[in-house]
Amino acid sequence: MINYHKFLPEDFYYPVLAKRAWDKLDRGENVLVGGMYGCGIHTFLNVFSLLEKTKRGVRTDYYAVEDGMGELKLWVKSKMNKPGRKVLAIHGFEKISNRREVLEWLQQQRQPRPAGMVFLVVADHTVVTDPESYLALTSAFFGERLEIGPFDLEHTIRLVKLNAQYFRWEVSEEKFKTIFELTGGVQRLVKHVCRLMSERGVRVEDVEKFTEDPSILFQIDLMVKIMSTCSISNLCKLGITDGTGKIKAGLVAGYWRNYQSEMASQLFPGLSHLESRVFSVLYGNIGRVLSLERMGDVLEIEGSEFSPWAIYKLISRLKPKIERNFRIVTVKGRGYMLERKVQ
């Protein structure tokens, strides 16, 4: 069986995106690619490397960031004196805390022949939620920014058909729209929902069966953590919520309604459901100030409404129940911040 990325037709989403990236790199421009993991970042990279074979006189090297800037610098320097035009692809750039300084350093290494060495930088959803951290100190650095997100209905249907053909799954066409409603077009969710339907006979109505699957649960948990820390506008940009602020993927919406952080369920099993929800939002943003309005936005994603006064009362009830391990600090005029107590 051929590799999945080789199977994808040239006019599909990832080959089109990879070709667009190569077009910019061929013109001597740096390219930034980012999006929520689970939407096909690795598929894009595989297709990108496949297209590399069609390029003559170009040397492409790949680097996965593990622990910041030190090793990356050594790697870049080791490639600088190699002959020919160079494309250096860096994956996992979000792991670097001082991104702007690193991009500035990379820009300096490109001189005096910037077209001779260009960079493809791949990162997570922070490309969308924190775009300024992907600017160099004295320049934009990137000539093109490409965002990978969940599919719309049309692309989701095509993905289902392609996956069914490649993996030899049987998925009824009458279920396509329901699959989209369950997954919100998130590619990893689409893949594994179809797998369970075909290989294990799980019905689309059996939502709990889907959320028991480790791959699906992993993606949902990732999205919930993003939802706890991102603004409503950024969640819409990421494709997690729609234009009205509601969660697009039915699987994620159902999970979010009952979401409690692991810390809440382990340390404070006696909390009410709403108290646990408020603690989970604070814990997901530990050390950061959250306004009552921002907390309300996060809680209302599920479709319920919370007034600032209602959240204030919940916080007042929550404080004494968690005071053994945490304190909720009131930051005058700004909101509340959760701090861990030093034992």
Side-chain angles (χ1 to χ4, degrees):
M1 179 182 288
I2 64 172
N3 291 329
Y4 181 75
H5 59 278
K6 294 181 179 179
F7 164 79
L8 296 175
E10 291 183 2
D11 64 342
F12 190 54
Y13 180 84
Y14 300 109
V16 169
L17 204 66
K19 185 179 183 303
R20 184 174 168 187
W22 268 113
D23 287 345
K24 293 295 182 179
L25 293 166
D26 286 340
R27 296 174 190 173
E29 298 181 31
N30 300 316
V31 175
L32 174 64
V33 178
M36 179 174 62
Y37 284 125
C39 290
I41 293 286
H42 289 94
T43 301
F44 164 82
L45 278 171
N46 287 332
V47 174
F48 178 86
S49 65
L50 185 65
L51 292 179
E52 170 197 340
K53 297 174 182 178
T54 66
K55 306 292 176 179
R56 293 184 178 181
V58 179
R59 177 187 179 92
T60 307
D61 290 287
Y62 297 84
Y63 181 85
V65 176
E66 295 297 337
D67 54 2
M69 185 175 176
E71 293 297 323
L72 174 60
K73 276 189 171 183
L74 293 175
W75 178 77
V76 171
K77 287 182 176 180
S78 73
K79 306 300 177 184
M80 288 174 57
N81 296 323
K82 302 288 184 182
R85 194 160 62 88
K86 293 171 282 293
V87 174
L88 302 186
I90 305 171
H91 181 213
F93 203 76
E94 73 277 357
K95 297 175 184 176
I96 297 175
S97 57
N98 58 331
R99 292 190 281 268
R100 298 196 65 184
E101 289 83 356
V102 173
L103 292 174
E104 185 69 22
W105 182 84
L106 292 177
Q107 181 70 353
Q108 293 169 3
Q109 307 316 302
R110 299 181 69 209
Q111 306 305 324
R113 292 193 316 109
M117 182 170 68
V118 290
F119 291 90
L120 171 74
V121 172
V122 181
D124 67 357
H125 63 279
T126 54
V127 170
V128 178
T129 61
D130 190 14
E132 291 186 359
S133 69
Y134 291 89
L135 298 171
L137 295 175
T138 59
S139 67
F141 189 79
F142 296 106
E144 180 80 351
R145 292 185 175 221
L146 303 175
E147 296 174 4
I148 297 179
F151 284 168
D152 57 17
L153 176 59
E154 181 181 349
H155 280 90
T156 299
I157 290 174
R158 192 171 184 199
L159 178 64
V160 171
K161 290 180 177 179
L162 286 170
N163 283 348
Q165 183 181 350
Y166 181 80
F167 295 107
R168 298 180 182 178
W169 292 336
E170 292 186 9
V171 183
S172 171
E173 289 193 16
E174 65 183 24
K175 302 296 183 184
F176 287 175
K177 187 175 180 181
T178 306
I179 291 171
F180 175 71
E181 292 170 349
L182 279 175
T183 64
V186 176
Q187 293 84 328
R188 180 179 284 146
L189 293 180
V190 172
K191 175 183 176 180
H192 291 288
V193 163
C194 291
R195 172 179 59 83
L196 292 173
M197 291 173 62
S198 178
E199 295 182 356
R200 300 189 185 179
V202 178
R203 299 179 303 166
V204 289
E205 298 84 7
D206 297 333
V207 175
E208 291 184 2
K209 293 284 183 65
F210 291 120
T211 54
E212 291 172 357
D213 180 78
S215 296
I216 290 177
L217 190 57
F218 174 84
Q219 183 65 34
I220 292 175
D221 191 55
L222 170 66
M223 294 173 68
V224 163
K225 288 175 180 175
I226 293 173
M227 288 160 58
S228 297
T229 57
C230 286
S231 68
I232 296 298
S233 61
N234 279 332
L235 292 178
C236 186
K237 291 177 185 176
L238 288 169
I240 294 176
T241 59
D242 61 20
T244 67
K246 300 301 183 288
I247 302 170
K248 291 167 64 176
L251 291 174
V252 179
Y255 187 88
W256 177 257
R257 279 191 289 271
N258 299 304
Y259 173 66
Q260 299 179 23
S261 71
E262 213 170 294
M263 185 67 68
S265 57
Q266 287 179 358
L267 288 182
F268 314 114
L271 296 180
S272 71
H273 174 68
L274 288 178
E275 289 167 349
S276 182
R277 293 293 310 284
V278 170
F279 175 81
S280 296
V281 171
L282 287 167
Y283 186 75
N285 293 273
I286 194 165
R288 292 194 288 264
V289 179
L290 290 181
S291 67
L292 288 173
E293 290 77 13
R294 169 69 185 126
M295 293 175 66
D297 285 344
V298 175
L299 293 169
E300 286 176 5
I301 293 173
E302 69 176 67
S304 304
E305 293 187 5
F306 292 86
S307 68
W309 175 249
I311 299 173
Y312 169 78
K313 295 295 288 183
L314 282 168
I315 290 174
S316 298
R317 296 205 305 265
L318 183 60
K319 283 182 176 180
K321 296 181 180 181
I322 64 171
E323 62 182 359
R324 181 178 175 182
N325 306 91
F326 298 90
R327 68 167 60 91
I328 299 176
V329 179
T330 302
V331 182
K332 189 174 181 180
R334 295 179 60 196
Y336 296 91
M337 179 173 65
L338 185 70
E339 292 182 344
R340 194 188 302 270
K341 281 190 175 181
V342 178
Q343 301 296 328

